[in-house]
Amino acid sequence: MSKKIKIGEQVTLVEDMPDLGLFRGQVGTVVQQYEPGIYDVEFRFLSGREQAVVTTLRSGMLMQLHPVES
């Protein structure tokens, strides 16, 4: 069972969303939670200038990233 996703956590997209220019494996940051399992996630791109896409996603479309401890 995965823990609750929190605002400020990094997550990765588990499915493609080509209409938004987002693809599986892209990393984003949770910036808002509306209700359990519904989040706004900000994805940033560096392509000449910094751009960001914020989109509302269900938790099933996201995978939490956990820091690696050494």
Side-chain angles (χ1 to χ4, degrees):
M1 181 176 189
S2 67
K3 66 179 183 128
K4 180 182 172 189
I5 299 173
K6 297 177 185 168
I7 294 172
E9 280 192 290
Q10 286 193 324
V11 293
T12 188
L13 195 58
V14 298
E15 56 187 71
D16 292 338
M17 299 180 70
D19 54 321
L20 295 176
L22 299 172
F23 298 93
R24 184 174 188 254
Q26 284 186 269
V27 175
T29 303
V30 176
V31 294
Q32 178 70 38
Q33 179 179 2
Y34 293 104
E35 57 186 71
I38 306 293
Y39 304 94
D40 268 358
V41 180
E42 179 180 65
F43 295 91
R44 293 193 170 270
F45 308 92
L46 295 176
S47 57
R49 63 186 174 111
E50 192 170 286
Q51 300 175 356
V53 172
V54 176
T55 189
T56 304
L57 302 169
R58 298 179 326 276
S59 60
M61 301 170 77
L62 304 169
M63 181 175 68
Q64 291 172 277
L65 297 179
H66 301 284
V68 177
E69 295 182 23
S70 53

